[in-house]
Amino acid sequence: MDILQLFGQQSSFDIPTIITSALGLVFACVYLKPQGKTERAVIVSEFLLLLQSPLMMAALLTTGATSAGVVGLRSAFVLLAQLLRVALSAMLFVVIASAMTEGRDASRRVLAPYLAPAALMGVCLLVPQTRDLIYTVSPEGDLVFQGGYALMTALSAFYTMCCLAWEWRYRKMTPRVTQLAVGVTVFVAVLFAADCLMGTRLVPFGLSVAFTVFVCAMGQIYGDRWESENAALARAATTDPLTGLLNRRG
């Protein structure tokens, strides 16, 4: 009964995350289709969120099991969920960097140094000796955080600072996108802080909401831009550039 109660509590966070992430995938395909790099980054992020929530629910269902096979399966679920957390921390920065530069400066070569810490943390999680310094799974199937788990929090803080740095650097290039990106970054940073201090477990759901709102807002920004550009082209095609009067076509 205790396990069912825990599962119900976890589901109250994970099921809304799955629904919101699925909506975010749909919105990304509809609203960000012309923006290649930003769209791909958002789709990957939402897909990772879709994977993480079922993994955490599956791991919770195996809590309290004593057989070696079930404990090993839970360990695998927890490992994959932690790897996805690392990837999502990096993907938040990739989304912001792609949106701020409209994909121009978000090349693989430029982003590689920024993504190196996440890759290193992933390797540490995959190696049993270093993973035991971050977290362990007890024979009863309980997840026990070790001192090295603080590195996961530090990694999230690092990518939050990277987002803010890029938003400051390119703030004049895309003012409206900057306001949106700063809002998303601060929102996610508050969620990470609340999760660390109070254990709210709202980070995955908050990320799914943030990405969905980001996609819808970016679609509106791009739509307004295209309308203004089309209107400018129409005026240029139908007016005389010297006098401003209608030309023969107008």
Side-chain angles (χ1 to χ4, degrees), residues 46-187:
E46 297 284 11
F47 184 71
L48 293 179
L49 283 167
L50 275 176
L51 289 178
Q52 188 185 40
S53 296
L55 283 173
M56 292 305 297
M57 288 193 293
L60 191 62
L61 281 175
T62 59
T63 300
T66 56
S67 64
V70 177
V71 173
L73 190 62
R74 172 175 166 78
S75 300
F77 288 152
V78 172
L79 173 61
L80 290 174
Q82 297 304 320
L83 287 172
L84 289 177
R85 178 182 175 180
V86 172
L88 282 167
S89 298
M91 287 308 302
L92 173 65
F93 168 69
V94 174
V95 170
I96 296 298
S98 300
M100 290 300 302
T101 66
E102 297 182 337
R104 287 193 287 271
D105 290 347
S107 64
R108 294 180 181 177
R109 186 176 64 179
V110 172
L111 295 182
Y114 293 94
L115 301 181
L120 180 61
M121 179 60 69
V123 172
C124 291
L125 288 172
L126 291 173
V127 177
Q129 290 77 9
T130 53
R131 181 169 67 242
D132 291 341
L133 301 176
I134 300 173
Y135 74 88
T136 56
V137 179
S138 67
E140 293 78 19
D142 296 326
L143 180 64
V144 181
F145 296 125
Q146 304 298 330
Y149 199 79
L151 294 175
M152 303 280 283
T153 304
L155 187 70
S156 302
F158 167 74
Y159 282 117
T160 300
M161 296 304 297
C162 288
C163 290
L164 293 173
W166 276 59
E167 288 156 2
W168 176 259
R169 179 180 178 184
Y170 293 98
R171 65 191 185 281
K172 295 181 180 179
M173 178 178 171
T174 51
R176 292 182 64 186
V177 177
T178 300
Q179 296 174 1
L180 173 64
V182 169
V184 169
T185 304
V186 172
F187 173 70

Side-chain angles (χ1 to χ4, degrees), residues 2-18 49 52-53 56-61 63 74 82 85 88 143 145 149 187-188 190-209:
D2 293 337
I3 295 177
L4 292 178
Q5 290 177 351
L6 287 173
F7 181 75
Q9 293 175 2
Q10 185 69 31
S11 299
S12 64
F13 293 97
D14 290 329
I15 291 178
T17 301
I18 294 173
L49 283 167
Q52 188 185 40
S53 296
M56 292 305 297
M57 288 193 293
L60 191 62
L61 281 175
T63 300
R74 172 175 166 78
Q82 297 304 320
R85 178 182 175 180
L88 282 167
L143 180 64
F145 296 125
Y149 199 79
F187 173 70
V188 173
V190 170
L191 286 179
F192 274 121
D195 187 59
C196 294
L197 297 175
M198 298 177 289
T200 57
R201 297 182 297 172
L202 283 173
V203 171
F205 177 66
L207 278 174
S208 65
V209 172

